[in-house]
Structure formats: C-alpha cells, structure tokens
Amino acid sequence: MHVVHAAGETAHDGFRVPPPAALPDQHWVPAGKKVRFAGAEIAGPLYFGRPIAGVEDEPSAIDPTLPIAAVGDFCRVARALWASYKTLTARERRGYIEWLTSGRNHPDVDMRLVYMYFYGLERRLVVDLQRDPAISAELLAIEDELLRLREIYAGREQAFGIAADSLLHWVKSLGAPPTLYERKNLEFRRVYGLRVYTEVAVGQAVRARHPIHARLALAWVQASGSAYMTAECKALQPQFEALFEELFAAVHPEGMHIPDPPGNYELLYRPSSPALIGHPATAIELQDTVRTSMLTEPLQQLKVIFKTAQAEVERFAKLLKRRRGAPCLKLEDLQSLPMRLWPETHRASLRDLVRRVSQGSVLMRASEVLAAIHPETKFTKSSAQAVQAILQGLDLSTDPPLIGEGRVLKAETIVAVLPTELINEEKASLHAHARAVRALQAATAVAAADGCLPEAWPAWLEAQVDSWDGDLAGSPLLRVRARLTCCEPPAPAVFRKLAEGIDEGEASAIARLATRGACAMGEPSATSVKALQKLYQALGLDAKKVPGDLHAAASGQGNAAPTAGGFQLDDQRIALLQQDTQRVTEVLAAIFATEEQALPAQPQPAAPAAPETLFGLDAKHSQLACRLLTQPQWTRQGLLQAAAVAGLMPDGALERINDACFDLHDMPFFEGDDPIDINPDILEILS
C-alpha cells in the first residue's frame, strides 16, 4: 500500500519515511486561507499542524505526521461514537480530506466526520475567542459556515441542528449588547437546554432596572419550562400572543419592573466535542446580568397571565370547532371573548367605528351601531345589551343609551357614539346640563314648526353652546346633544314636559333662546310664531310679549347665558321697546295674526277708502313690490336697503310677495337668492 506523507514522499509497506522537521505546529487556518497537504489544497476554517507538547488535544486538527492513504472513503467511519483525526484509519483520513476539498456538503458523508469538523469551529468560538478578543473579526465567517452546515445536515440528523444552534446562541450571548432587552424583534427561543438570549436579556433588564416588555416576558415564561402551549394555542398562536400582550399590559402597563437580586448570571455551554466537556471556558459569569434563577416570583406572575390567555384561546378554539370553523361568530360569542380573538371581519368593522369616534362623535341609528359590530344580528333587547357592554369595554357609550331602566331604544332612533368620559362630564353639573338640553330642544321645536329645520340651524345651535359662559361653555356633550336634537326635532307638544320643574328665571332663558333662534334664520313664519306663543304659555310666560321679544332679538338685544347653577337669564332684563311700536306692529301684523276670535271693535270714525295695492298686499308690501319691479335684478345689499325704506324685514317680505303673486298669477315674483332676478313675465302681465 502506498502512503502519502505531508512532504509528498512515497513509501512502501514496512518502510516509513521520517516526517520533515519543517512541519508547522498546530494552528488555526482562518476562512479564506489555504494549506497544502497530501496533494490537496484545504481551505479554512480548520486546525492544522502537528501536536504541541503541553497543549490541549483538538480532535478535529489535521496532524500531518499521521499516515494518509491515496484513496479514501468518507461514507463509513469505523469509530462507534466520537471521531477524531488521530483515531481515523489512513483511508478514513483521506476520505475526510476529500470531503473537505469537495465543498463539505456531500449528503452521504458519515455524520461523525461532520461532527469532527464541527469540533474545530466549537473550540475556536468557545475557547479561543475568550483568550483573544481579536478573533471576533472572524465571527461572521464562522457563523456563516455554521448556518451552511446546519442547512445541509440538520434535516438528516436533528441533534446536529441543535448543536449548531447552541453554538450560534452561545456566541451571540457572549457578544450580546448590554441592552439586548430593548430589541423587541429578536427571535427568542430555547435551544438544546441553552436559554441564552432570553435569560441574558431578562438578566440585563433587571440589572439595569429596565422594565421587561411583553414579548420578552412571553419568551421567558416559555423558555423557563413553567408553561407550555397546548395544541389549540399553537394552532392560534398569533391570537394567543396578542392576547398575552393585552393581559400583560393590563397588569404592567409600563412594563414589568423586577427588583435586582444578588448574584450574576452564569452562562453555561454544553459542548459537543468530548475534548471540551468540563472545560472552564464553557462557564462564564456575566457581570451586567442578573441570575434569573432567583426570579421565581415574577416568573410565577407571568405564568398566571400565560394560563389565563391560554384558557381564553382554548375556549375560542372550541367555539370555532362548534361553528365548524365559521369566521363569523354570533354576537353572544363576541361578547364572551376578548376582542383580540375576534375574527378579522368584526375587528375591522369595530376598528373603523372607533376611528370615526376618535375624530369626533358619530351620529347613527341604533341599528347601525349594532351593524358596525355584528351585521347579521337583529336589533333586540338582548343584542342592544350586548352591544352596549362591548362599547363600554372600549370606553365608548351611546347617547341616549341603547338600553337602560328597562327601556330599549327603537332601531331607527338616532344616537351619538362618543367617549364615555364625555358622558361623565354631565355628572359634574347634572342640573345645568338638564336645563340646557331643555332649552336646545325648545328652540329646535320652534325652528322646526314649519315641518323642517333651516339648513343653517345645527351650526347656529352649536354656536350658542360655544358662546355660553360658565361650566357649560363649549361643552362637547352639549354640542353632541344639539346635533341629536336637530336630527329628530321635538314637536311643540313636548313644551309642557320641558317646562316641568323649572323656575321663572330658567323659563325666561329658555324662551329667550327660542326667540333668538326664530329670528336668526330670517323673518319668523306665522307657524313659528304660533309655536313660540305655545312655548311661552307652557313656560308660564305672557304670550303677548312674543312680538316685543322677537323685535328685541332681531335687534340683537339680550342673550340667554347659562351658568353653573342652571340655564338662567342675564341680570339685565330686556324691556319692551317703547319707540317705533307702531312700525313694529305694522311689520309683524300678518305674522302674529291668530285664528282666535277678535275682540269686539270699538266704534271708529269712517275712514277713507284704502288705495288699490299690488297683488292685494298691504301698503308697505305693495310699495316694496313696486320698488323691486323698477329693475330686473337686485343684489342682497340693494334688497336690504329697499326693505328698510319700506320698513319691512326683507326675507319675510319677499316670501309674502312671492306667495301673493303665486296666488293671483300662478308664477313666482322673483327667483334666486343673491342676486335675485325679478320675473319678467310679471311686468308683461302688469303692463
């Protein structure tokens, strides 16, 4: 048999050529470097050279003094357990060299040769790295080689994948940054009994007095062996992790703070190489890391959270099984589950509602609130109760409540969905809120007496809330209730109910707000004035004062000012105007006419016959109509001046002229708003 030596010399059986004196001592060949041996160029990383007296024996080191065959075999190794280069036969050594030079990736290689090569990488990272920190420059190359080997051979032998993971995590723990606990996206896992990243991160956080976040807490309780995920939780792992984080945040909203106990963390490594078993380098004390074995009480708390989340997820899994995996659960199922476990369709719909409420209170029908959570459920007492409970869990409420005091709203009732804290605002000034709401309802009932609210009414009503003084100034809750009042204006029939339990000052303030509102939208109609008179009567006020109060409101005199004690009048009372009484009476004569029987008239001297007027109007309206016919188009400013000359309110006067023209000629007198266009057909009829 021919044997090739390190010097490349050939020998016959029974004759040995002594090794040359120039052979190198055992040393490390890094990645990217090569060594020539036995007619081949072998690339690092590996150990090569003859043994050095007094130096630890490395099983993977290629000893050039040992014989090597010309033909090798790397598919079979005679050793039963561990292999080392020294114990291999000459044929097996040649096979090992061939495996090294052929890419180190042959699928049929004997795994003991792969392990032997791995022993060299293990020594470099566990022993040499501690002796010489400069070796850290090689870490990336060695880690890449470990990952490559793991990808090729872990599927063939699971134990090798575990060994590779253990070595990788050992190196990462030694080079871990002092704030490893802050990296929330790290992959924490337990490998081959070595809980490196998890325990080091926890120990660092405790030593630094830094709170432990939810993800690290979950990894810690799992890695400790204190809790295990059941099959149901593994199947719903995203939901389980989300629920654990939610429960953890409820107990530790700012993270888990743990007192710093005595003792440093001892990092232990379980080597694969027999030469490293019991080696001092496999146990290191980390000075900036707490010994996590002392943290039994915090770990027990996390176990309770873990078990709670697990129970909820298992219940969710059973529900899904009963529903045969249907993604749409019933409303009662949703109510009994944490929101983190809801199917995405329901979560997305509810998230959209919360997003809208965060931008401002949302007005919607009671049935639409239910549909935002569970569209398939009909609006009933039980469903309303379930929806109200779900909203309360999100610190949201409806105004009015969907269900309360045995009463359930109708499905079509308009409600406001708003933060619960706005509802709580009312408790601080319950009496003032109640009076203010009554005032808003009364004013809206008068404004809607004609059957519909003016378009500008909601904005005007909210502006009144913003302009008030005291505790109710700009109240968000009152603004919401103003909008609700506009959505479903009360009828004048509620006036008597609104007047229950109020004093004279509050009654006057309610009447004043309604009067100002009636004038703010233009000239009040006859129907609005009648509604205003009914409101005065219900409030116990003199209805005969309505004309004077309307005139005062139109002139901008007097404001209703709610205070902390209730909705009250200003201190300055508004007296009826004494001047221009006759002019006001003439302007509003038609408006305040009622169907009541007139009092017997006192005998008066005969008056001369009234002159003929346009469209059967009174003198002032006829005068204004004739003035408007003098030009085909009028601006708003011009109209105001013409109405002022006639002593009339412009909007009401135009409406009356238009109605009279329709009655006589079945066509409008004018069209448009600003400017207004006079109908040319009227001129032809009158000419």
Side-chain angles (χ1 to χ4, degrees):
M1 180 177 70
H2 296 282
V3 180
V4 179
H5 292 272
E9 302 177 26
T10 305
H12 296 282
D13 291 343
F15 177 79
R16 288 178 62 92
V17 177
L23 286 176
D25 292 336
Q26 179 179 308
H27 65 285
W28 174 256
V29 180
K33 300 293 184 180
K34 295 181 179 179
V35 60
R36 183 169 182 79
F37 170 65
E41 286 188 346
I42 310 173
L46 49 76
Y47 286 97
F48 180 85
R50 64 183 182 180
I52 304 173
V55 177
E56 299 168 357
D57 184 29
E58 169 50 45
S60 69
I62 299 175
D63 184 354
T65 66
L66 298 177
I68 182 170
V71 178
D73 181 10
F74 54 69
C75 294
R76 293 182 190 84
V77 175
R79 295 288 297 173
L81 187 57
W82 290 310
S84 68
Y85 189 82
K86 180 189 299 185
T87 59
L88 295 178
T89 65
R91 185 178 179 84
E92 291 169 349
R93 292 187 190 112
R94 169 58 70 178
Y96 180 59
I97 298 301
E98 290 177 354
W99 177 75
L100 290 175
T101 56
S102 63
R104 309 175 199 192
N105 56 8
H106 199 286
D108 297 327
V109 66
D110 191 299
M111 285 302 297
R112 279 167 290 194
L113 295 181
V114 179
Y115 270 105
M116 188 176 70
Y117 174 63
F118 175 78
Y119 298 158
L121 305 178
E122 192 173 46
R123 175 177 290 275
R124 189 65 171 170
L125 296 179
V126 175
V127 179
D128 294 352
L129 182 59
Q130 294 186 49
R131 294 173 178 173
D132 184 5
I135 294 175
S136 59
E138 303 177 21
L139 287 181
L140 289 179
I142 299 177
E143 287 179 10
D144 289 343
E145 179 68 357
L146 285 171
L147 292 172
R148 187 186 68 84
L149 291 172
R150 185 186 185 282
E151 184 178 356
I152 297 171
Y153 296 112
R156 180 178 166 186
E157 186 170 323
Q158 184 180 8
F160 180 77
I162 294 175
D165 281 340
S166 294
L167 182 55
L168 286 167
H169 282 256
W170 165 267
V171 176
K172 288 183 179 180
S173 69
L174 290 179
T179 57
L180 182 63
Y181 49 82
E182 292 182 345
R183 299 191 178 185
K184 296 185 179 181
N185 294 324
L186 284 176
E187 182 183 3
F188 298 105
R189 56 180 175 176
R190 183 180 180 182
V191 184
Y192 196 34
L194 185 68
R195 303 182 293 272
V196 177
Y197 261 15
T198 304
E199 293 192 348
V200 170
V202 171
Q204 286 180 347
V206 175
R207 178 56 49 84
R209 293 180 173 82
H210 190 280
I212 296 174
H213 56 75
R215 184 168 181 185
L216 177 56
L218 176 57
W220 182 27
V221 72
Q222 287 181 279
S224 67
S226 299
Y228 300 92
M229 291 182 65
T230 60
E232 293 84 355
C233 290
K234 289 180 179 178
L236 298 168
Q237 187 165 347
Q239 291 89 339
F240 171 80
E241 291 177 353
L243 182 57
F244 179 90
E245 291 183 10
E246 181 179 328
L247 297 175
F248 179 86
V251 181
H252 305 286
E254 298 181 357
M256 190 176 194
H257 293 266
I258 302 176
D260 184 1
N264 296 325
Y265 184 81
E266 188 177 26
L267 189 62
L268 301 175
Y269 176 67
R270 183 184 298 178
S272 297
S273 173
L276 296 183
I277 295 177
H279 195 287
T282 59
I284 301 176
E285 190 176 79
L286 302 180
Q287 298 298 322
D288 61 346
T289 307
V290 167
R291 186 186 305 169
T292 53
S293 60
M294 305 290 292
L295 308 177
T296 55
E297 185 176 345
L299 199 57
Q300 185 62 28
Q301 294 178 9
L302 294 178
K303 185 178 178 180
V304 172
I305 298 176
F306 185 98
K307 293 294 185 182
T308 303
Q310 183 171 266
E312 293 289 351
V313 172
E314 288 175 347
R315 188 155 56 91
F316 177 53
K318 291 178 182 178
L319 278 176
L320 289 179
K321 189 175 181 179
R322 280 205 305 268
R323 308 294 184 199
R324 295 182 180 180
C328 186
L329 301 177
K330 292 184 177 181
L331 180 62
E332 56 266 27
D333 296 335
L334 299 183
Q335 185 184 6
S336 66
L337 287 173
M339 207 163 299
R340 291 276 190 180
L341 301 182
W342 285 16
E344 181 56 30
T345 52
H346 299 295
R347 290 176 60 193
S349 179
L350 189 58
R351 277 199 305 266
D352 180 65
L353 176 61
V354 173
R355 178 188 58 79
R356 291 165 58 194
V357 174
S358 67
Q359 298 172 354
S361 302
V362 179
L363 301 187
M364 54 201 311
R365 300 188 184 279
S367 58
E368 292 174 340
V369 180
L370 171 61
I373 298 175
H374 202 278
E376 294 80 9
T377 301
K378 292 183 179 180
F379 190 85
T380 61
K381 180 178 181 180
S382 60
S383 64
Q385 189 171 11
V387 169
Q388 191 160 285
I390 290 172
L391 292 177
Q392 288 174 352
L394 296 171
D395 291 329
L396 298 179
S397 299
T398 63
D399 187 46
L402 298 179
I403 182 171
E405 300 179 358
R407 172 191 56 82
V408 183
L409 295 182
K410 295 181 179 179
E412 62 273 12
T413 303
I414 302 294
V415 300
V417 184
L418 67 169
T420 302
E421 62 182 19
L422 294 187
I423 300 293
N424 296 335
E425 168 196 316
E426 181 183 18
K427 297 178 181 178
S429 51
L430 186 61
H431 179 82
H433 263 272
R435 299 298 180 262
V437 170
R438 291 190 185 191
L440 297 174
Q441 292 174 339
T444 303
V446 172
D450 289 326
C452 63
L453 281 175
E455 184 177 350
W457 180 256
W460 182 87
L461 205 61
E462 289 188 39
Q464 304 312 299
V465 175
D466 292 341
S467 66
W468 288 344
D469 297 326
D471 295 340
L472 301 182
S475 165
L477 181 58
L478 284 180
R479 288 173 60 88
V480 169
R481 289 180 171 172
R483 292 165 58 197
L484 282 173
T485 301
C486 296
C487 291
E488 295 180 348
V494 304
F495 286 157
R496 292 197 177 278
K497 184 176 181 180
L498 295 178
E500 293 177 358
I502 61 175
D503 56 32
E504 181 180 355
E506 292 168 343
S508 298
I510 292 174
R512 186 60 51 81
L513 182 65
T515 303
R516 292 180 61 238
C519 294
M521 299 297 106
E523 183 178 347
S525 66
T527 307
S528 297
V529 173
K530 290 179 182 178
L532 195 57
Q533 290 172 331
K534 291 181 180 179
L535 174 63
Y536 270 56
Q537 292 173 353
L539 295 173
L541 303 177
D542 187 358
K544 295 181 180 179
K545 293 184 177 181
V546 169
D549 288 350
L550 278 173
H551 183 81
S555 304
Q557 303 183 38
N559 293 305
T563 68
F567 193 85
Q568 302 175 353
L569 281 174
D570 285 342
D571 294 336
Q572 182 181 3
R573 298 296 302 270
I574 307 300
L576 295 176
L577 296 179
Q578 299 300 321
Q579 300 177 357
D580 297 330
T581 301
Q582 182 61 34
R583 181 175 66 83
V584 173
T585 302
E586 292 176 355
V587 171
L588 303 178
I591 300 175
F592 296 118
T594 65
E595 296 178 357
E596 298 177 359
Q597 182 177 2
L599 294 175
Q602 296 296 326
Q604 297 292 335
E612 185 178 354
T613 59
L614 191 62
F615 306 142
L617 295 167
D618 61 71
K620 288 184 175 290
H621 287 84
S622 177
Q623 176 187 350
L624 177 59
C626 293
R627 170 67 177 150
L628 296 178
L629 288 172
T630 59
Q631 58 188 62
Q633 189 179 74
W634 289 81
T635 63
R636 179 70 180 175
Q637 185 62 33
L639 175 64
L640 293 176
Q641 294 176 356
V645 171
L648 296 174
M649 296 181 181
D651 294 326
L654 280 179
E655 182 179 355
R656 187 168 182 186
I657 294 172
N658 226 28
D659 290 343
C661 186
F662 260 113
D663 292 341
L664 287 178
H665 304 295
D666 197 26
M667 65 177 64
F669 181 79
F670 71 94
E671 294 178 345
D673 184 20
D674 186 11
I676 66 169
D677 297 310
I678 305 301
N679 189 351
D681 294 339
I682 296 298
L683 291 174
E684 295 182 4
I685 294 174
L686 296 178
S687 59

